């Protein structure tokens, strides 16, 4: 069944749930009168439908686009979800090319779909500026409806996934590469042994993926989650250590200023382990930075300098030794989170139960 804007109600927060999204909306008497009239010739304008002050009917969509013609309202509210995805992608990306890349389709496809939408609306939805494509007033007026449609579609997708009671299918997991490799690897092995039809897909990235949009089903992070409607908890405390090769360690003991420091890059320079290492070796030069702890470990192994590493990574890297110092690097908490609509997804709960059994922590919520 085509998923279109007619399926939405303008009351009770249509973005809140799939049930509200599927509630049928009907035009008010004013809209019905306009729709019953003959269609205007191309380019002609109809009188606008008035706003909520003149319409007291519930579930009326006409009030969502005040001062819009009934003809254009009907055409725009017939947009299907595939059209809305492209409209939103272009509005967010600011260009047809970037929108195509994000959607995984061709540039001409996006251009054709936008042109078709503008033909349906009989007016442009975007205008070109030096900064890229921006919404016109007409496009801006339908943006909130398009976003509501997106939220409801995503909510429906999450709830359908969350109600899947068979232990099979893809489970998308977001975490740092080193955490997946050196902490979660035993969890994945045990999950595969107990539930071979579940396929973990690890998205190894420092980018905080959007769980609301199902860029991942579950995420492991060093910071608490700030997005709404997520279930989260602290999983474990992560310990760090100072690492170097034997040769680098000896040089650091003889002359601390003679060794280099391997640090997080500028974007992560606020991490507490960075401040700790610089404070311990204030005269040592910065020789390498990276967002990847695994890359830092490899540079440390090749004698480039000292590095503070998560102990599961540093202890497992042959050729590195943990250096005992006065005081230890600050610990960090690991948080796990997923969208509340997925709380009944059995394959997710199975992985979380294994994670708690092998890594320790509170029972899954």
């Amino acid at each position: 069944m085509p998923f279109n804007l007619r399926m939405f109600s303008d009351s009770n927060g249509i973005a809140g749930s799939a049930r509200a999204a599927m509630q049928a909306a009907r035009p008010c008497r004013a809209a019905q009168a306009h729709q019953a009239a003959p269609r205007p010739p191309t380019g002609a304008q109809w009188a606008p439908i008035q706003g909520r002050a003149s319409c007291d009917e519930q579930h009326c969509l006409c009030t969502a686009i005040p001062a819009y013609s009934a003809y254009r309202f009907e055409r725009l509210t017939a947009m299907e979800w595939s059209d809305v995805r492209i409209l939103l992608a272009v509005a967010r990306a600011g260009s047809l090319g970037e929108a195509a890349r994000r959607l995984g389709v061709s540039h001409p496809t996006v251009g054709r779909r936008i042109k078709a939408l503008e033909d349906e609306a009989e007016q442009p939805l975007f205008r070109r500026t030096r900064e890229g494509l921006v919404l016109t007033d007409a496009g801006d007026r339908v943006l909130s409806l398009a976003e509501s449609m997106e939220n409801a579609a995503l909510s429906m997708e999450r709830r359908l996934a969350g109600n899947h009671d068979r232990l099979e299918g893809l489970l998308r997991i977001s975490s740092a590469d080193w955490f997946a490799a050196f902490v979660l690897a035993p969890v994945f092995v045990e999950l595969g042994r107990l539930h071979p039809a579940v396929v973990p897909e690890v998205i190894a990235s420092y980018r905080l993926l959007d769980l609301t949009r199902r860029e991942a089903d579950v995420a492991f992070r060093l910071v608490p989650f700030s997005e709404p409607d997520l279930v989260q908890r602290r999983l474990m405390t992560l310990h760090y250590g100072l690492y170097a090769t034997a040769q680098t360690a000896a040089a650091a003991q003889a002359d601390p200023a003679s060794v280099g420091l391997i640090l997080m890059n500028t974007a992560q320079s606020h991490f507490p382990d960075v401040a700790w290492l610089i404070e311990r070796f204030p005269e040592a030069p910065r020789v390498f930075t990276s967002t990847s702890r695994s890359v830092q470990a490899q540079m440390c192994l090749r004698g480039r300098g000292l590095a503070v590493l998560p102990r599961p990574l540093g202890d497992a890297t042959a050729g590195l030794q943990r250096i005992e110092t006065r005081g230890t690097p600050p610990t960090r908490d690991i948080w796990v989170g997923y969208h509340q609509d997925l709380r009944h997804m059995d394959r997710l709960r199975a992985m979380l139960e294994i994670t708690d059994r092998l890594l320790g922590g509170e029972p899954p919520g």
Side-chain angles (χ1 to χ4, degrees), residues 43 71 120 124 168 175 212 302 333 345:
Y71 178 59
E120 287 287 321
E168 64 178 21
S175 80
T212 300
R302 284 160 174 72
D333 288 333
M345 180 190 279

Side-chain angles (χ1 to χ4, degrees), residues 9 35 40 46 60 93 105 136 157 162 179 185 205 229 245 256 267 284 286-287 347 363:
S9 163
Q35 291 169 352
W46 279 21
C60 175
V105 299
T136 62
E157 180 185 352
F179 190 80
S205 171
D229 302 324
T245 61
R286 179 179 309 192
V287 296
R347 60 186 182 273

Side-chain angles (χ1 to χ4, degrees), residues 332-350:
R332 301 289 300 273
D333 288 333
I334 298 293
W335 294 79
V336 59
Y338 52 93
H339 197 278
Q340 64 183 9
D341 289 345
L342 301 183
R343 64 169 67 239
H344 299 301
M345 180 190 279
D346 282 356
R347 60 186 182 273
L348 171 60
R349 293 187 62 84

Side-chain angles (χ1 to χ4, degrees), residues 12 40-41 72 84-85 91 123 135-136 160 173 189 194 203 224 232 251 255 292 305 311 324 330 347 350 355:
N12 302 323
R72 285 178 177 164
V84 172
R85 287 180 67 239
Q123 57 187 317
L135 288 168
T136 62
L160 289 173
I173 303 152
V189 172
L194 295 176
I203 307 168
Q232 65 171 310
D255 181 10
S292 171
R311 287 184 55 176
E324 299 297 334
R347 60 186 182 273
T355 301

Side-chain angles (χ1 to χ4, degrees), residues 231-250:
V231 178
Q232 65 171 310
R233 58 186 170 83
R234 189 180 66 82
L235 175 67
M236 60 186 292
T237 298
L238 184 67
H239 294 271
Y240 289 75
L242 179 63
Y243 291 87
T245 61
Q247 183 177 359
T248 302

Side-chain angles (χ1 to χ4, degrees), residues 25 51-52 94 104 117 123 126 140 161 201 217 300 319 321 338 358:
R52 190 174 298 275
L117 284 173
Q123 57 187 317
F126 293 92
D140 199 50
E201 179 182 84
D217 297 319
C300 186
Q321 63 182 44
Y338 52 93
L358 296 184

Side-chain angles (χ1 to χ4, degrees), residues 182-201:
F182 295 95
V183 179
L184 293 179
V187 174
F188 302 147
V189 172
E190 181 70 357
L191 180 65
R193 185 183 71 82
L194 295 176
H195 309 291
V198 176
V199 180
E201 179 182 84

